[in-house]
């Protein structure tokens, strides 16, 4: 039975990557390929995992006909190998996210740097599409919406040098976090003796990261008084990227709190929705929650509060 399932997985990967490479659904394939690779490696079948990698590369090469596409798919498979290897060794959830994000974002950043003009062209096309949709809308406010998109285009293109890398970093970090959570869930359902040794809600940032936040803040101040192009690229991209990291940490603390106090699902959904809506920008509640966790360690305080309540009830 397992042999038949494995053959079906191989055929699915071969055909799936070939079709995705052929019609340009590379992003979709990047998400799917690491799944079987990581699961087989984590459950103690590295040989089967490497055969899946070979099928992915072969399918991409047949579908696209270029070695460049095969190399991109090889990177996705490599992320699966990395996560499978790490989960078999019981890395923490945070370390799995850190390592996978480092690998993926390095490749993404290099691709962005090499194809910088193409990224600007793609950005213009997306704004063209949004403005066309606004103009074709039957809404009476379509002209105002078009002006909003035009202003957004101007601001984004004007500051693209200073926000591009952070924008790609944020999408990479969120994507990798969701992917690691999905793999952890799959391994638990399979009953495997592998997977992250911790959960997302218990993921805590190292205290030393705050020094990077302070350093980036100082760079922003220096750039404000003595403008410098290179300094601004580093300060803005670094600051926005770190903001995303602290936001994610704050969201983990929020989930930990809801889980610790055993809040019902309806209230959990309502609370999470509220924070997602009102947690935009550097001064958002979740971002500040993640930052001040460096000094206050909210999870420890929550555990002490719950323990005190239990002791009082007894």
């Amino acid at each position: 039975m397992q042999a038949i399932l494995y053959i079906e997985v191989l055929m699915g990967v071969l055909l799936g990557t070939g079709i995705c490479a052929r019609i340009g659904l590379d992003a979709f394939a990047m998400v799917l390929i690491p799944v079987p690779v990581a699961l087989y490696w984590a459950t103690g079948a590295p040989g089967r995992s490497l055969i899946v990698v070979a099928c992915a590369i072969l399918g991409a090469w047949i579908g696209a006909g270029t070695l460049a596409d095969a190399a991109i798919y090889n990177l996705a498979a490599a992320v699966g190998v990395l996560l499978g290897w790490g989960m078999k060794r019981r890395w923490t959830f945070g370390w799995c996210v850190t390592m996978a994000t480092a690998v993926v974002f390095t490749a993404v950043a290099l691709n962005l740097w090499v194809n910088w003009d193409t990224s600007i062209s793609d950005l213009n096309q997306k704004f063209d599409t949004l403005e066309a949709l606004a103009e074709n809308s039957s809404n009476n406010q379509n002209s105002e919406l078009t002006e909003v998109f035009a202003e957004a285009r101007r601001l984004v293109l004007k500051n693209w040098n200073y926000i591009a890398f952070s924008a790609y970093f944020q999408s990479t970090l969120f994507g990798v976090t969701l992917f690691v959570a999905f793999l952890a869930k799959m391994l638990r359902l399979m009953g495997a003796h592998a997977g992250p040794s911790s959960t997302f809600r218990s993921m805590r940032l190292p205290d030393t990261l705050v020094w990077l936040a302070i350093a980036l803040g100082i760079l922003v101040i220096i750039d404000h008084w003595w403008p410098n192009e290179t300094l601004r690229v580093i300060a803005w991209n670094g600051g926005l990227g770190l903001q995303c990291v602290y936001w994610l940490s704050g969201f983990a603390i929020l989930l930990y709190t809801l889980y610790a106090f055993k809040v019902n699902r309806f209230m959990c959904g309502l609370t999470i929705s509220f924070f997602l809506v009102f947690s935009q920008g550097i001064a958002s509640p979740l971002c500040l929650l993640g930052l001040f966790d460096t000094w206050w360690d909210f999870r420890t305080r929550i555990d002490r509060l719950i323990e005190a309540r239990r002791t009082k009830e007894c």
Side-chain angles (χ1 to χ4, degrees), residues 180-244:
V180 171
F182 173 75
L183 283 179
K185 181 69 172 179
M186 289 290 293
L187 289 169
R188 285 197 298 270
L189 292 175
M190 293 168 61
H193 300 290
S197 60
S198 61
T199 60
F200 169 73
R201 61 178 177 269
S202 64
M203 183 178 67
R204 188 172 187 270
L205 299 176
D207 293 342
T208 51
L209 192 64
V210 73
W211 292 108
L212 177 59
I214 294 172
L216 290 170
I218 293 173
L219 290 181
V220 171
I221 294 172
I222 294 174
D223 175 66
H224 177 74
W225 289 102
W226 298 280
N228 180 275
E229 187 75 12
T230 303
L231 201 63
R232 184 170 300 178
V233 169
I234 297 172
W236 284 34
N237 278 297
L240 291 172
L242 197 58
Q243 171 196 333
C244 176

